[in-house]
Amino acid sequence: MADTDARLQPRKKGLTRRQKRSLSRGVQYVVFVAAVIVFAVLADWGRLKNQFAQWDIAKEMFPDVITLALKNTVLYTLSGFALGLVLGLVIALMRLSSVGPYRWVAGVYIEIFRGLPALLIFVFIGVAVPLAFPGTEIIGGTYGKAALALGLVGAAYMAETFRAGIQAVPKGQMEAARSLGFSPARAMISIIIPQAFRIILPPLTNELVILFKDSSLVLLLGVTLEERELSKFGRDLASEKANSTPILVAGLCYLLVTIPLGFVVRRMEAKAQEAVK
């Protein structure tokens, strides 16, 4: 009878998994809103406005911040990205080669240039190269040096991206191309690499965003007034005006490029996931 009575009693029900997730999400929202309120209440908005939001100083930056600084930043980034793309593909093919020395050279390059901070690469290009080769000039002056430094840094990451993309292409594609009479090199160029490009477009676009931000290190190469990029342009004007508004404007110009690129990356990743499904 005791056992029967125990079975007849209603069981105590705890929270379901969905309810626990909802509760956890609600707590996170509350904490976030509370943090925003605390920040809004405690921040000295008057001092922030005086230091970072002087409209008169911001107006003085235009149109040079767009026609000069942003233009140079984009030029440095695109030239470095183009060099990194070509060099990265070559390094990736070397890494996948059946020839041992090619693999070793590619592996050493990737480990060194991924392990060193980008700042040191820029210092090396700006200082060490002229000392090692006196009287030699890199083609393009500052633009050439910036492209070389950004390209060397970007190539190490792009090489691994290319390698992963090439290996993601089904092996049957190469076998089918060989059965049709393609040489290994022609099959790689005509069949494998184009398919790998479609796979790695999102991470390559991410690398473009990273290089766009790394272009701020070009100032280490010694730039003229006409060669300044966004960071250097903003810092110079901030020092001249003794105000941080130019730095904020320069930061907004970075976002003007990186936010649309981020949106493009997310769209490409979503399309890639849909294609897989």
Side-chain angles (χ1 to χ4, degrees), residues 53-254:
Q54 291 296 322
W55 177 245
D56 292 339
I57 296 176
K59 286 194 299 185
E60 293 180 20
M61 299 178 66
F62 291 88
D64 288 347
V65 69
I66 301 295
T67 59
L68 177 67
L70 182 57
K71 181 200 72 174
N72 284 337
T73 301
V74 171
L75 288 177
Y76 294 143
T77 303
L78 292 181
S79 57
F81 182 78
L83 177 60
L85 197 66
V86 175
L87 183 57
L89 178 58
V90 173
I91 295 297
L93 294 176
M94 291 174 63
R95 190 74 184 269
L96 294 171
S97 173
S98 58
V99 181
Y102 287 167
R103 295 197 307 273
W104 302 333
V105 170
V108 169
Y109 176 90
I110 290 171
E111 293 302 323
I112 289 176
F113 283 92
R114 284 202 311 174
L116 290 176
L119 182 146
L120 294 184
I121 306 301
F122 275 85
V123 172
F124 177 80
I125 297 297
V127 178
V129 171
L131 289 176
F133 305 98
T136 59
E137 285 290 336
I138 296 176
I139 298 175
T142 301
Y143 292 96
K145 293 177 184 177
L148 180 59
L150 289 171
L152 289 174
V153 173
Y157 294 92
M158 292 187 208
E160 287 296 271
T161 302
F162 272 118
R163 181 180 64 82
I166 291 172
Q167 290 179 328
V169 177
K171 293 182 179 180
Q173 297 291 317
M174 174 63 79
E175 296 171 356
R178 295 300 307 279
S179 67
L180 293 174
F182 284 69
S183 66
R186 186 183 173 192
M188 179 64 70
I189 294 172
S190 302
I191 306 298
I192 305 301
I193 291 178
Q195 293 186 61
F197 256 106
R198 289 196 292 270
I199 296 172
I200 64 175
L201 268 179
L204 281 182
T205 309
N206 273 327
E207 185 60 35
L208 178 61
V209 173
I210 294 172
L211 289 182
F212 185 74
K213 294 184 292 184
D214 283 346
S215 66
S216 62
L217 297 173
V218 171
L219 62 89
L220 298 173
L221 302 176
V223 296
T224 65
L225 291 177
E226 296 299 317
E227 295 170 341
R228 290 179 296 174
E229 38 69 48
L230 280 171
S231 292
K232 176 66 172 171
F233 185 87
R235 289 177 60 185
D236 286 351
L237 198 56
S239 298
E240 178 185 335
K241 300 295 184 181
N243 189 274
S244 300
T245 299
I247 295 178
L248 177 62
V249 174
L252 293 176
C253 289
Y254 276 106

Side-chain angles (χ1 to χ4, degrees), residues 8-26:
L8 292 177
Q9 291 178 358
R11 295 181 180 179
K12 295 182 180 180
K13 294 184 178 180
L15 294 176
T16 64
R17 290 184 179 180
R18 179 176 297 179
Q19 290 172 331
K20 289 179 180 179
R21 286 196 299 266
S22 299
L23 179 61
S24 175
R25 191 178 299 113

